[in-house]
Amino acid sequence: MPEPRQTRDIHQVASRLSKGGLAAIPTETVYGLAALATNDQAVDAVFVLKGRPSSNPLIVHLPDSSHVSDWAASVPPEAKRLMREFWPGPLTLVLPAHESVSRRITAGQSTVALRVPSHPVCAELLRTLGAALVAPSANRSNRISPTCEAHVALQFSGEDLLILEGGPCEVGLESTIVAVLPDQPPAILRPGVLTREQLGLRESPAFTSAKGEPVTVPGQHHRHYAPDSPAFWADEAALKQLGDRAEVAWIFCGDPRPVRGPSKDLGAEPGAYAQHLYATLYEMDALNPSEIRVIPPPRCEDWEAIHNRLSRLIRAG
Ligand code: AMP
Ligand code: MG
């Protein structure tokens, strides 16, 4: 049976991609399953390998902002400001799509999501290719995004997939997505580690489309990032009731408590918590606990992206 293989050879990965193949690549947010954005068959293969519904659009990763004009029909001034200030980095901009952009990428919409990643290995790969890549998270649909090579390999075991080595992802959560469409105030479609405050978008309203066209953010609608083991919030009562059960795993937030099962303190600082959250879920899943209990982090803006992701994987009850 073929198995995923790791490599440091950027030219080997670039050559595979330029021939229409797929490869897993590091980015500063999470690992991506990459394909040439101008090759419809390769883009289709990404949807198939992930098991991703064709209604869930892909983000296009560019070598630098000079490529934006190939992908966006127009770039509002506020988008130019955000590009200048935050690219390369973990910010995705949703802009009006250039007519040449494949509607497979945009899931039939007239907008396109663009990002210039800052991960040095990814940046060098994009420079080598001189072309754009789609790169949704390198996991099967509805599973946790991988933040290191080993977790990509787990997701695609049995597949002949080349994984470009880039070490553990620095950010650890998917990018912040901001829609900047003509004659509309910018709107945050997905929170990320770059906060509303940092982006200078304090006043951004919830998003509505001028033409009545819904800008769908499919990942936001359903439970999207599930570990194998069921995850639940933990409170004092849960700690008391389940703390001595060896089969229950715990994720703490800067205030570890004595428990019998496996536990991890992700700390009280949101940056480090975000960086290690997904890897911790993979590690806990590997121990096959009966459930994972998560102590709720603080409820403030710095923790918004973490709450957003946790709310997608935690079950009620
Ligand atoms: P990811 O799964 O992290 O690669 O991110 C893809 C996500 O980007 C999708 O699930 C959408 O939430 C968002 N996205 C991509 N393209 C668009 C678009 N044209 N309009 C709105 N959101 C988009
Ligand atoms: Mg994803």
Side-chain angles (χ1 to χ4, degrees), residues 171-254:
V171 172
L173 293 186
E174 301 82 357
S175 58
T176 307
I177 303 180
V178 181
V180 192
L181 300 176
D183 307 321
Q184 293 184 41
I188 297 182
L189 303 184
R190 177 172 74 186
V193 296
L194 288 174
T195 62
R196 211 172 267 274
E197 179 88 42
Q198 287 169 314
L199 293 166
L201 298 174
R202 270 211 115 189
E203 308 302 323
S204 306
F207 187 78
T208 47
S209 165
K211 291 186 213 129
E213 180 193 26
V215 173
T216 52
V217 189
Q220 305 289 304
H221 291 323
H222 35 75
R223 245 180 82 236
H224 188 57
Y225 307 97
D228 289 335
S229 326
F232 302 96
W233 290 121
D235 56 12
E236 287 301 328
L239 270 161
K240 225 169 154 179
Q241 232 178 14
L242 305 171
D244 62 355
R245 301 233 184 123
E247 71 278 12
V248 177
W250 301 84
I251 296 182
F252 293 104
C253 178

Side-chain angles (χ1 to χ4, degrees), residues 9-315:
D9 187 344
I10 288 181
H11 289 277
Q12 186 191 3
V13 172
S15 153
R16 207 180 250 218
L17 288 166
S18 61
K19 288 182 199 138
L22 308 189
I25 63 167
T27 83
E28 69 276 23
T29 59
V30 301
Y31 272 72
L33 183 64
L36 220 50
T38 45
N39 182 323
D40 279 351
Q41 279 177 347
V43 169
D44 282 345
V46 168
F47 280 100
V48 170
L49 185 56
K50 273 183 66 84
R52 184 175 175 110
S54 59
S55 58
N56 196 352
L58 304 178
I59 296 172
V60 177
H61 296 67
L62 307 173
D64 60 63
S65 48
S66 72
H67 289 250
V68 167
S69 54
D70 295 338
W71 295 90
S74 62
V75 188
E78 187 65 350
K80 288 193 180 136
R81 175 188 71 83
L82 290 166
M83 283 161 47
R84 256 195 327 270
E85 287 184 30
F86 297 99
W87 281 3
L91 173 67
T92 296
L93 294 176
V94 171
L95 301 173
H98 195 282
E99 59 181 16
S100 64
V101 179
S102 161
R103 292 309 191 250
R104 288 174 162 91
I105 290 177
T106 69
Q109 299 179 87
S110 59
T111 54
V112 66
L114 304 176
R115 180 164 104 80
V116 175
S118 64
H119 191 294
V121 174
C122 183
E124 198 184 331
L125 172 70
L126 285 162
R127 265 198 309 275
T128 304
L129 277 165
L133 294 172
V134 294
S137 51
N139 52 274
R140 309 276 188 183
S141 207
N142 297 323
R143 312 316 300 230
I144 306 277
S145 300
T147 54
C148 64
E149 298 87 343
H151 297 160
V152 177
L154 266 182
Q155 286 288 319
F156 294 106
S157 92
E159 300 287 345
D160 170 28
L161 180 70
L162 208 49
I163 305 173
L164 181 58
E165 289 177 20
C169 301
E170 228 176 281
V171 172
L173 293 186
E174 301 82 357
S175 58
T176 307
I177 303 180
V178 181
V180 192
L181 300 176
D183 307 321
Q184 293 184 41
I188 297 182
L189 303 184
R190 177 172 74 186
V193 296
L194 288 174
T195 62
R196 211 172 267 274
E197 179 88 42
Q198 287 169 314
L199 293 166
L201 298 174
R202 270 211 115 189
E203 308 302 323
S204 306
F207 187 78
T208 47
S209 165
K211 291 186 213 129
E213 180 193 26
V215 173
T216 52
V217 189
Q220 305 289 304
H221 291 323
H222 35 75
R223 245 180 82 236
H224 188 57
Y225 307 97
D228 289 335
S229 326
F232 302 96
W233 290 121
D235 56 12
E236 287 301 328
L239 270 161
K240 225 169 154 179
Q241 232 178 14
L242 305 171
D244 62 355
R245 301 233 184 123
E247 71 278 12
V248 177
W250 301 84
I251 296 182
F252 293 104
C253 178
D255 183 19
R257 312 289 185 83
V259 284
R260 223 176 118 205
S263 71
K264 174 100 175 181
D265 179 18
L266 288 177
E269 197 277 303
Y273 192 108
Q275 191 180 15
H276 298 116
L277 174 63
Y278 290 161
T280 299
L281 289 165
Y282 272 97
E283 283 157 20
M284 288 193 161
D285 258 348
L287 303 172
N288 202 17
S290 61
E291 58 191 90
I292 300 173
R293 288 276 168 175
V294 182
I295 305 286
R299 274 270 169 210
C300 56
E301 191 185 277
D302 289 354
W303 291 85
E304 189 185 353
I306 290 165
H307 271 285
N308 174 273
R309 305 307 190 275
L310 284 174
S311 70
R312 265 155 237 297
L313 62 92
I314 283 179
R315 303 183 188 194

